Amino acid sequence: MPRQDAPAALDLEVLKQFRTIFQSIRQHFDTIQRSCDISGAQLWALSCIAAEPGLRVSGLARAMALHQSTVSNLVEGLVGKGLVLREKSPADQRVVLLRPTEAGLSIAAQAPQPAHGLLPDALARLDPATLRTLQGCLAEVLAAMQGRMDAGTGMDTPLSDIR
Protein backbone atom coordinates (compact mmCIF):
# COMPACT_ATOMS: atom_id res chain seq x y z
CA MET A 1 0.00 0.00 0.00
CA PRO A 2 1.50 3.37 -0.98
CA ARG A 3 2.31 5.82 1.79
CA GLN A 4 -0.29 8.52 2.14
CA ASP A 5 2.25 11.26 2.90
CA ALA A 6 4.41 10.72 -0.21
CA PRO A 7 3.36 12.74 -3.22
CA ALA A 8 2.57 10.50 -6.17
CA ALA A 9 4.72 12.67 -8.41
CA LEU A 10 7.79 11.91 -6.28
CA ASP A 11 7.09 8.17 -6.41
CA LEU A 12 6.86 8.41 -10.20
CA GLU A 13 10.07 10.45 -10.47
CA VAL A 14 11.97 7.78 -8.52
CA LEU A 15 10.39 5.12 -10.74
CA LYS A 16 11.64 7.01 -13.80
CA GLN A 17 15.13 7.08 -12.31
CA PHE A 18 15.07 3.29 -11.89
CA ARG A 19 13.88 2.92 -15.49
CA THR A 20 16.70 5.15 -16.71
CA ILE A 21 19.26 3.11 -14.77
CA PHE A 22 17.89 -0.20 -16.09
CA GLN A 23 17.69 1.06 -19.69
CA SER A 24 21.25 2.45 -19.56
CA ILE A 25 22.53 -0.86 -18.23
CA ARG A 26 20.63 -2.82 -20.91
CA GLN A 27 21.97 -0.56 -23.71
CA HIS A 28 25.54 -0.97 -22.46
CA PHE A 29 25.20 -4.76 -22.34
CA ASP A 30 23.63 -4.81 -25.82
CA THR A 31 26.57 -2.78 -27.14
CA ILE A 32 29.00 -5.24 -25.57
CA GLN A 33 27.14 -8.22 -27.04
CA ARG A 34 27.12 -6.68 -30.54
CA SER A 35 30.75 -5.57 -30.52
CA CYS A 36 32.38 -8.45 -28.62
CA ASP A 37 29.99 -11.39 -29.11
CA ILE A 38 30.09 -12.10 -25.38
CA SER A 39 27.80 -11.06 -22.53
CA GLY A 40 28.53 -8.15 -20.24
CA ALA A 41 29.25 -10.55 -17.39
CA GLN A 42 31.67 -12.50 -19.58
CA LEU A 43 33.45 -9.26 -20.51
CA TRP A 44 33.77 -8.33 -16.84
CA ALA A 45 35.21 -11.77 -16.08
CA LEU A 46 37.56 -11.57 -19.07
CA SER A 47 38.76 -8.11 -18.06
CA CYS A 48 39.49 -9.35 -14.52
CA ILE A 49 41.44 -12.32 -15.91
CA ALA A 50 43.32 -10.07 -18.35
CA ALA A 51 44.22 -7.70 -15.51
CA GLU A 52 45.37 -10.56 -13.27
CA PRO A 53 46.55 -13.58 -15.30
CA GLY A 54 46.67 -16.64 -13.08
CA LEU A 55 43.52 -15.67 -11.19
CA ARG A 56 41.58 -18.56 -9.63
CA VAL A 57 37.83 -19.00 -10.06
CA SER A 58 37.34 -18.28 -6.35
CA GLY A 59 39.19 -14.97 -6.71
CA LEU A 60 37.17 -14.09 -9.79
CA ALA A 61 33.95 -14.87 -7.89
CA ARG A 62 35.01 -12.51 -5.09
CA ALA A 63 35.95 -9.77 -7.57
CA MET A 64 32.55 -10.01 -9.26
CA ALA A 65 30.51 -10.60 -6.07
CA LEU A 66 28.99 -13.74 -7.60
CA HIS A 67 28.69 -17.36 -6.51
CA GLN A 68 31.58 -19.56 -7.59
CA SER A 69 29.29 -21.83 -9.65
CA THR A 70 27.96 -18.80 -11.56
CA VAL A 71 31.52 -17.68 -12.32
CA SER A 72 32.49 -21.22 -13.35
CA ASN A 73 29.72 -21.09 -15.96
CA LEU A 74 30.97 -17.71 -17.22
CA VAL A 75 34.51 -19.09 -17.47
CA GLU A 76 33.24 -22.18 -19.31
CA GLY A 77 31.71 -19.92 -21.94
CA LEU A 78 34.95 -17.94 -22.29
CA VAL A 79 36.99 -21.13 -22.60
CA GLY A 80 34.55 -22.42 -25.23
CA LYS A 81 35.04 -19.23 -27.25
CA GLY A 82 38.83 -19.53 -27.03
CA LEU A 83 39.22 -16.39 -24.92
CA VAL A 84 40.47 -17.96 -21.68
CA LEU A 85 42.68 -20.94 -20.85
CA ARG A 86 42.57 -23.07 -17.71
CA GLU A 87 46.01 -24.14 -16.51
CA LYS A 88 47.15 -26.26 -13.58
CA SER A 89 49.26 -24.40 -11.09
CA PRO A 90 52.90 -25.51 -11.24
CA ALA A 91 53.03 -25.29 -7.43
CA ASP A 92 49.86 -27.33 -6.81
CA GLN A 93 48.32 -29.42 -9.59
CA ARG A 94 44.92 -29.30 -7.85
CA VAL A 95 44.71 -25.54 -8.38
CA VAL A 96 43.37 -24.22 -11.70
CA LEU A 97 44.57 -20.84 -12.90
CA LEU A 98 42.83 -18.70 -15.52
CA ARG A 99 44.77 -16.98 -18.27
CA PRO A 100 43.53 -14.90 -21.20
CA THR A 101 44.40 -15.99 -24.73
CA GLU A 102 45.65 -13.48 -27.29
CA ALA A 103 42.10 -13.29 -28.66
CA GLY A 104 40.81 -12.67 -25.12
CA LEU A 105 43.34 -9.89 -24.55
CA SER A 106 42.36 -8.30 -27.85
CA ILE A 107 38.66 -8.31 -26.97
CA ALA A 108 39.33 -7.00 -23.46
CA ALA A 109 41.45 -4.15 -24.88
CA GLN A 110 38.93 -3.13 -27.56
CA ALA A 111 35.67 -3.67 -25.65
CA PRO A 112 33.27 -0.86 -24.75
CA GLN A 113 34.08 0.57 -21.34
CA PRO A 114 33.53 0.26 -18.49
CA ALA A 115 34.17 -3.47 -18.89
CA HIS A 116 32.72 -4.24 -15.46
CA GLY A 117 29.47 -2.44 -16.31
CA LEU A 118 27.87 0.95 -15.84
CA LEU A 119 26.32 0.32 -12.44
CA PRO A 120 29.43 -1.11 -10.71
CA ASP A 121 31.42 1.75 -12.22
CA ALA A 122 28.96 4.36 -10.98
CA LEU A 123 28.81 2.81 -7.50
CA ALA A 124 32.62 2.74 -7.29
CA ARG A 125 32.66 6.49 -7.98
CA LEU A 126 30.35 7.34 -5.06
CA ASP A 127 31.80 8.37 -1.74
CA PRO A 128 31.33 5.95 1.19
CA ALA A 129 28.71 8.12 2.95
CA THR A 130 26.56 8.22 -0.19
CA LEU A 131 26.94 4.46 -0.63
CA ARG A 132 25.84 3.85 2.96
CA THR A 133 22.78 6.06 2.45
CA LEU A 134 21.95 4.31 -0.83
CA GLN A 135 22.38 0.91 0.80
CA GLY A 136 19.95 1.86 3.56
CA CYS A 137 17.39 3.26 1.12
CA LEU A 138 17.57 0.20 -1.12
CA ALA A 139 17.21 -2.05 1.93
CA GLU A 140 13.94 -0.21 2.68
CA VAL A 141 12.75 -0.71 -0.91
CA LEU A 142 13.59 -4.43 -0.72
CA ALA A 143 11.82 -4.73 2.63
CA ALA A 144 8.74 -3.05 1.14
CA MET A 145 8.83 -5.66 -1.64
CA GLN A 146 9.09 -8.53 0.87
CA GLY A 147 6.87 -11.43 -0.05
CA ARG A 148 6.91 -10.42 -3.71
CA MET A 149 9.98 -12.51 -4.52
CA ASP A 150 11.97 -15.36 -3.04
CA ALA A 151 14.68 -14.40 -0.59
CA GLY A 152 18.02 -14.07 -2.34
CA THR A 153 16.48 -14.15 -5.81
CA GLY A 154 18.87 -12.66 -8.31
CA MET A 155 21.71 -12.12 -5.85
CA ASP A 156 24.01 -14.36 -7.87
CA THR A 157 22.66 -13.43 -11.30
CA PRO A 158 24.92 -11.16 -13.35
CA LEU A 159 23.14 -7.92 -14.29
CA SER A 160 23.60 -8.76 -17.98
CA ASP A 161 21.51 -11.90 -17.47
CA ILE A 162 18.59 -10.22 -15.72
CA ARG A 163 15.64 -9.72 -18.05
Side-chain angles (χ1 to χ4, degrees), residues 26 154 157-163:
R26 174 67 24 228
T157 304
L159 285 174
S160 62
D161 295 347
I162 296 174
R163 297 278 175 206

mmCIF file of all heavy atoms in Angstrom, residues 26 154 157-163:
data_model
loop_
_atom_site.group_PDB
_atom_site.id
_atom_site.type_symbol
_atom_site.label_atom_id
_atom_site.label_comp_id
_atom_site.label_asym_id
_atom_site.label_seq_id
_atom_site.Cartn_x
_atom_site.Cartn_y
_atom_site.Cartn_z
ATOM 1 N N ARG A 26 21.005 -1.940 -19.799
ATOM 2 C CA ARG A 26 20.635 -2.817 -20.915
ATOM 3 C C ARG A 26 21.320 -2.377 -22.207
ATOM 4 O O ARG A 26 21.853 -3.194 -22.950
ATOM 5 C CB ARG A 26 19.106 -2.816 -21.077
ATOM 6 C CG ARG A 26 18.558 -3.550 -22.249
ATOM 7 C CD ARG A 26 18.705 -5.065 -22.310
ATOM 8 N NE ARG A 26 18.864 -5.742 -21.071
ATOM 9 C CZ ARG A 26 19.824 -6.667 -20.845
ATOM 10 N NH1 ARG A 26 20.671 -7.011 -21.769
ATOM 11 N NH2 ARG A 26 19.912 -7.263 -19.689
ATOM 12 N N GLY A 154 18.086 -13.562 -7.490
ATOM 13 C CA GLY A 154 18.874 -12.660 -8.309
ATOM 14 C C GLY A 154 20.195 -12.226 -7.707
ATOM 15 O O GLY A 154 20.963 -11.554 -8.377
ATOM 16 N N THR A 157 22.895 -13.537 -9.868
ATOM 17 C CA THR A 157 22.656 -13.428 -11.295
ATOM 18 C C THR A 157 23.377 -12.182 -11.805
ATOM 19 O O THR A 157 23.136 -11.085 -11.306
ATOM 20 C CB THR A 157 21.150 -13.310 -11.602
ATOM 21 O OG1 THR A 157 20.486 -14.430 -11.036
ATOM 22 C CG2 THR A 157 20.905 -13.248 -13.098
ATOM 23 N N PRO A 158 24.270 -12.343 -12.783
ATOM 24 C CA PRO A 158 24.921 -11.159 -13.349
ATOM 25 C C PRO A 158 23.857 -10.207 -13.913
ATOM 26 O O PRO A 158 22.844 -10.650 -14.466
ATOM 27 C CB PRO A 158 25.796 -11.720 -14.470
ATOM 28 C CG PRO A 158 26.010 -13.152 -14.117
ATOM 29 C CD PRO A 158 24.755 -13.578 -13.398
ATOM 30 N N LEU A 159 24.098 -8.911 -13.791
ATOM 31 C CA LEU A 159 23.144 -7.923 -14.292
ATOM 32 C C LEU A 159 22.825 -8.131 -15.778
ATOM 33 O O LEU A 159 21.721 -7.912 -16.204
ATOM 34 C CB LEU A 159 23.678 -6.509 -14.081
ATOM 35 C CG LEU A 159 23.621 -5.973 -12.658
ATOM 36 C CD1 LEU A 159 24.326 -4.616 -12.576
ATOM 37 C CD2 LEU A 159 22.202 -5.850 -12.164
ATOM 38 N N SER A 160 23.837 -8.571 -16.541
ATOM 39 C CA SER A 160 23.605 -8.762 -17.979
ATOM 40 C C SER A 160 22.641 -9.902 -18.268
ATOM 41 O O SER A 160 22.101 -9.986 -19.361
ATOM 42 C CB SER A 160 24.932 -9.005 -18.710
ATOM 43 O OG SER A 160 25.550 -10.182 -18.253
ATOM 44 N N ASP A 161 22.410 -10.761 -17.288
ATOM 45 C CA ASP A 161 21.508 -11.901 -17.474
ATOM 46 C C ASP A 161 20.108 -11.649 -16.928
ATOM 47 O O ASP A 161 19.227 -12.485 -17.073
ATOM 48 C CB ASP A 161 22.091 -13.158 -16.822
ATOM 49 C CG ASP A 161 23.375 -13.614 -17.489
ATOM 50 O OD1 ASP A 161 23.691 -13.113 -18.590
ATOM 51 O OD2 ASP A 161 24.057 -14.480 -16.914
ATOM 52 N N ILE A 162 19.902 -10.527 -16.264
ATOM 53 C CA ILE A 162 18.587 -10.216 -15.723
ATOM 54 C C ILE A 162 17.721 -9.626 -16.824
ATOM 55 O O ILE A 162 18.119 -8.695 -17.513
ATOM 56 C CB ILE A 162 18.686 -9.228 -14.531
ATOM 57 C CG1 ILE A 162 19.435 -9.880 -13.382
ATOM 58 C CG2 ILE A 162 17.298 -8.764 -14.093
ATOM 59 C CD1 ILE A 162 19.705 -8.964 -12.220
ATOM 60 N N ARG A 163 16.564 -10.199 -17.004
ATOM 61 C CA ARG A 163 15.636 -9.721 -18.052
ATOM 62 C C ARG A 163 14.397 -9.175 -17.428
ATOM 63 O O ARG A 163 13.903 -9.513 -16.466
ATOM 64 C CB ARG A 163 15.257 -10.873 -18.999
ATOM 65 C CG ARG A 163 16.444 -11.422 -19.746
ATOM 66 C CD ARG A 163 16.754 -10.575 -20.931
ATOM 67 N NE ARG A 163 17.972 -11.069 -21.544
ATOM 68 C CZ ARG A 163 18.749 -10.305 -22.239
ATOM 69 N NH1 ARG A 163 18.475 -9.065 -22.425
ATOM 70 N NH2 ARG A 163 19.837 -10.769 -22.769
#
